[in-house]
Structure formats: C-alpha cells, structure tokens
Amino acid sequence: KQEVTQIPAALSVPEGENLVLNCSFTDSAIYNLQWFRQDPGKGLTSLLLIQSSQREQTSGRLNASLDKSSGRSTLYIAASQPGDSATYLCAAQGGADYKLSFGAGTTVTVRA
Amino acid sequence: GAGVSQSPRYKVAKRGQDVALRCDPISGHVSLFWYQQALGQGPEFLTYFQNEAQLDKSGLPSDRFFAERPEGSVSTLKIQRTQQEDSAVYLCASSFRTSGRDTQYFGPGTRLTVL
C-alpha cells in the first residue's frame, strides 16, 4: 500500500520568505504526483500535477520537483504572501490504478 | 455551474440515522471519486465511478456505506445506521478522462457530525 508522508506538519514564515514543502512516498511505481491546496472549510484546489516521466512543473511562483527513484517531491513557493496561508497536500496516483494516496498535509502560515 | 458541488455542506445526525450525501460533478466529467477526510488527516479513497459503473468500492469502510451514480452524472453516498466514527468530511471529485488519471477537481465537501 502506498504511504505518503509530509514533513513538517506545520510551518510559519514571515512574508517574503521562500517556502519548501516536502513529500515522500514509499512506492515509486506512480503514475503522477499532485499537489493540492486546502483552505479551512473548503475542498481541495489542484496546484500542480507532475507526470512520472517529468522532473518538475512550474506555475507562477510555484515549482514542484519529482524524484521517483528516491520517492520524493518538493513544492517550492517563492516570495510567500499571507494569501499563501493554507494546508498543502501531496498525493501520489498509483501506476496500476487511479487512486490518489494523500499525505496528511503541511499547514503553512505566512506572517505579514 | 463551473465546479463540483456537494450538498448538504453540513449534516448533523444522531447515531443510528441514515444519511445521504449528494455530489454534482463538472458537466462532461466521466470519472467520479468519493473520499473521506478525518480531522487533521489527508483524504482517504472510498469509491470510484466511471460513468454509471462503480469500478472500485474497495475503500468503503463497511457495508453500511453505499454509493450510486445511476445516470452517470450526479452521485449519492449513503451511510446507513451512522456511527460516531463516521464523523468526517466527505469529499467528491471528478475528472474528465475515463482513466481517472488526470487532474481531479474537488467539491467543498460535506461535514458529517454523528452525535
């Protein structure tokens, strides 16, 4: 069974600092790796999807890398803003099926 | 609507009651997923539909949980004889492809509290 771990569980940084969020997974036979954002009381918003054949994806201030062999993905958020405060979840989609296996998330607070 | 919608947004049930949670996926999306999210945890897969066919229900916790999508659009998750451990946020997601291996778009969830 795929196990996904996110460390740290919580992170607090001053505005303007770059954020680095880590995700690790136990089964490297993934189809893709997805990063989501969840605001309190809301559903999940897809941020980036990295196919297993890719090494990274970028969208604006967000950059996600994928290293399948080591079972790791990292989400970088440049020049953080208070509006970036949320919980960030990573999810691995299996190579043999469509299930998303989620980590427990990293809750980010960006202080103004 | 542009996104996935779910109703009700909040549901309080007494232990032993039956509940029904509704999901309206994005129009034209073939794949539909249900997830259960406990407090402080990531979502856990419950079940998957491709059109009206329920292809995987391996994540349903017990036979008290039942899901359907009779016309391949709206889906309902039903929980019979609710228990306190059923308290969680139930998330629905849809995606365009039949494989389900593309971006999943999530609804806002239904927060179920069983007293």
Side-chain angles (χ1 to χ4, degrees), chain B residues 98-113:
Chain B
T98 56
S99 68
R101 288 182 172 184
D102 53 338
T103 298
Q104 295 186 19
Y105 296 87
F106 282 77
T110 295
R111 181 177 296 278
L112 173 65
T113 302

Side-chain angles (χ1 to χ4, degrees), chain A residues 1 31-32 34 36 38 40-46 49 51 89 93-105, chain B residues 9-10 33 35 37 40-45 48 55-56 58 91 97 99-104 106-109 111:
Chain A
K1 179 187 172 187
Y31 188 80
N32 62 50
Q34 302 184 36
F36 294 87
Q38 187 170 34
K42 304 268 181 83
L44 281 65
T45 301
S46 178
L49 184 155
Q51 300 290 354
L89 297 125
Q93 190 162 46
D97 59 38
Y98 33 71
K99 299 174 187 176
L100 287 178
S101 297
F102 283 87
Chain B
R9 291 293 314 278
Y10 304 91
F33 304 81
Y35 295 86
Q37 186 174 25
Q41 301 297 315
E44 294 278 347
F45 170 83
Y48 165 62
L55 299 188
D56 189 338
S58 63
L91 295 165
R97 291 191 197 166
S99 68
R101 288 182 172 184
D102 53 338
T103 298
Q104 295 186 19
F106 282 77
R111 181 177 296 278

Side-chain angles (χ1 to χ4, degrees), chain A residues 34-79:
Chain A
Q34 302 184 36
W35 283 92
F36 294 87
R37 168 182 173 141
Q38 187 170 34
D39 292 283
K42 304 268 181 83
L44 281 65
T45 301
S46 178
L47 297 174
L48 291 167
L49 184 155
I50 313 174
Q51 300 290 354
S52 61
S53 58
Q54 298 176 314
R55 295 299 296 260
E56 66 178 328
Q57 274 286 356
T58 298
S59 176
R61 293 185 295 111
L62 276 59
N63 174 277
S65 66
L66 175 64
D67 184 340
K68 270 184 56 176
S69 60
S70 66
R72 293 182 183 180
S73 177
T74 302
L75 178 66
Y76 301 90
I77 303 177

Side-chain angles (χ1 to χ4, degrees), chain A residues 2-7 21-27 33 35 67 70-74 90-92 101-103:
Chain A
Q2 179 75 272
E3 300 288 342
V4 179
T5 303
Q6 291 186 250
I7 295 173
L21 308 180
N22 298 303
C23 171
S24 62
F25 46 94
T26 54
D27 184 353
L33 191 291
W35 283 92
D67 184 340
S70 66
R72 293 182 183 180
S73 177
T74 302
C90 69
S101 297
F102 283 87

